Amino acid sequence: MHSGGLWLEGHDGDHEGYAILYTGDRFTGDSYRVFPGEEVARKSDMDNGIVSFRFENIRSIELRGDVVLEAWTNSNFRGQSVRLSQSSADLRNLPPSRQSWSGRIQSLRADFREDEHQASTSSPTVGRTTLPDLGPRGGVAIFSEADYQGSSHVFEKTDHIPDLNRVSRSNLRWNDRVVGVYIDGPYSVVLYENGDFNGNYVVLNESVPDLDQLRSSNGNRINWSRAVSSMEIIQKGRGVDRPNNRSKYAGTLYEDDNYKGKYFALYDGQVLHNLREWMWNDEASSVMVEEGYQIVLFKSSNFRDGSLTIDKNQPSMKRLSRGWNDAASSLKVVKVK
């Protein structure tokens, strides 16, 4: 990928972070880089030397380091605005309002967080809480109390933790102790009720100050606070990559026709109540199925609003009746006896 920037006079490059704008969701496609102190009055001014953003839309934004980004729906910083303080892999569902900003950004401005230029000597804050230093590439921090209080532990990269009592470099036994989770950067966190990635699970794409706010993957209300025994930290949009998973491979969803684009692997017995949790809602355009398996797709979450059973490779969902292209919202993987 290529990037560029509108350098301000006097900018010495000694920045403490930057924003990367992408033409595709999940931080894909062509990119354009903006540093704190820079602004773009018209999207058409953005040109990375390969492609002009005049003819492209901004669909995801990655924030690295101590930077925030303010964006407007009209040129010259007019119209509706939004302020981003963390990365968004899909601007169609931007928290906290869940409003879509995909393709709507026409002007923008990057700046340091509050108390700017102190990022190199101090940690980021949420409200009145000082968070652990997550580094320039972000990471994940877990907390023993709500609102990011109490004891904490930092993960600076993707990781698989089958037993939270064995978190390396930690003096605490974290099993059934996690209350808050803070996410900074292009990460998702999968929490499991039991060890070895078993039991109820929930996927976090944004920070959660109190896990009691969450619902389990099957839609039932449970108290996740102090109930987590294992967890995974994964790249946003890549689905679960579990090296200790003993389930047999059963098939793959693909974003584009003819098994192209981003993909999502499926395994024996997998049951996904809501593909939105995996950043795959209404995304599947072709499907591969292993012999001996069926993939049952549903148009709505929790297996509602019509189903489609696929028992052989389907290179294009557009060829099917009833509008199944980019329509699956939940699924089951069934082994044929």
Side-chain angles (χ1 to χ4, degrees), residues 137-337:
R137 294 190 177 184
V140 172
I142 55 176
F143 295 83
S144 62
E145 302 293 340
D147 299 320
Y148 314 121
Q149 301 285 341
S151 301
S152 64
H153 183 76
V154 171
F155 303 88
E156 296 181 344
K157 60 182 180 179
T158 58
D159 204 352
H160 305 270
I161 305 98
D163 183 354
L164 280 172
N165 277 338
R166 299 181 180 180
V167 174
S168 61
R169 303 180 306 279
S170 175
N171 295 323
L172 289 179
R173 295 172 63 85
W174 278 97
N175 185 62
D176 292 339
R177 292 197 58 160
V178 180
V179 177
V181 178
Y182 181 75
I183 303 173
D184 181 28
Y187 302 101
S188 293
V189 176
V190 189
L191 305 178
Y192 296 88
E193 188 177 25
N194 301 327
D196 294 321
F197 319 114
N198 291 315
N200 286 308
Y201 68 89
V202 67
V203 181
L204 309 184
N205 291 310
E206 306 294 342
S207 302
V208 178
D210 186 349
L211 294 179
D212 191 28
Q213 303 170 1
L214 301 178
R215 293 179 180 270
S216 66
S217 60
N218 60 14
N220 295 323
R221 177 74 175 179
I222 69 171
N223 185 357
W224 276 97
S225 180
R226 296 188 174 90
V228 180
S229 296
S230 58
M231 62 183 284
E232 296 176 290
I233 301 171
I234 60 178
Q235 290 287 327
K236 279 188 177 178
R238 291 191 178 180
V240 173
D241 179 17
R242 198 178 313 158
N244 295 326
N245 192 328
R246 299 177 181 176
S247 297
K248 186 177 180 181
Y249 169 74
T252 303
L253 305 181
Y254 291 87
E255 179 190 33
D256 301 325
D257 286 355
N258 298 313
Y259 321 117
K260 295 180 179 180
K262 294 183 291 291
Y263 60 89
F264 185 87
L266 302 173
Y267 296 89
D268 184 11
Q270 199 164 21
V271 176
L272 301 179
H273 294 256
N274 190 348
L275 286 172
R276 185 179 299 277
E277 292 180 344
W278 307 93
M279 307 292 289
W280 265 87
N281 187 59
D282 296 340
E283 293 284 345
S285 292
S286 56
V287 181
M288 278 190 175
V289 185
E290 287 291 288
E291 184 177 356
Y293 288 94
Q294 294 178 340
I295 297 175
V296 186
L297 305 177
F298 300 83
K299 286 192 174 180
S300 297
S301 60
N302 295 313
F303 321 119
R304 296 177 293 115
D305 296 338
S307 66
L308 173 69
T309 299
I310 300 178
D311 56 8
K312 60 182 179 180
N313 291 345
Q314 181 54 251
S316 176
M317 303 292 282
K318 297 174 184 176
R319 301 175 184 175
L320 303 177
S321 60
R322 297 181 291 163
W324 276 99
N325 185 58
D326 294 339
S329 295
S330 56
L331 64 81
K332 297 179 180 180
V333 178
V334 179
K335 189 173 184 178
V336 180
K337 296 180 179 180

Side-chain angles (χ1 to χ4, degrees), residues 80-84 86 88 90-102 104 206 276:
Q80 189 176 357
S81 65
V82 65
R83 187 175 178 87
L84 284 78
Q86 63 183 34
S88 175
D90 188 350
L91 290 174
R92 291 176 297 181
N93 190 27
L94 191 66
S97 66
R98 298 301 175 186
Q99 186 178 10
S100 174
W101 275 82
S102 181
R104 299 180 62 202
E206 306 294 342
R276 185 179 299 277

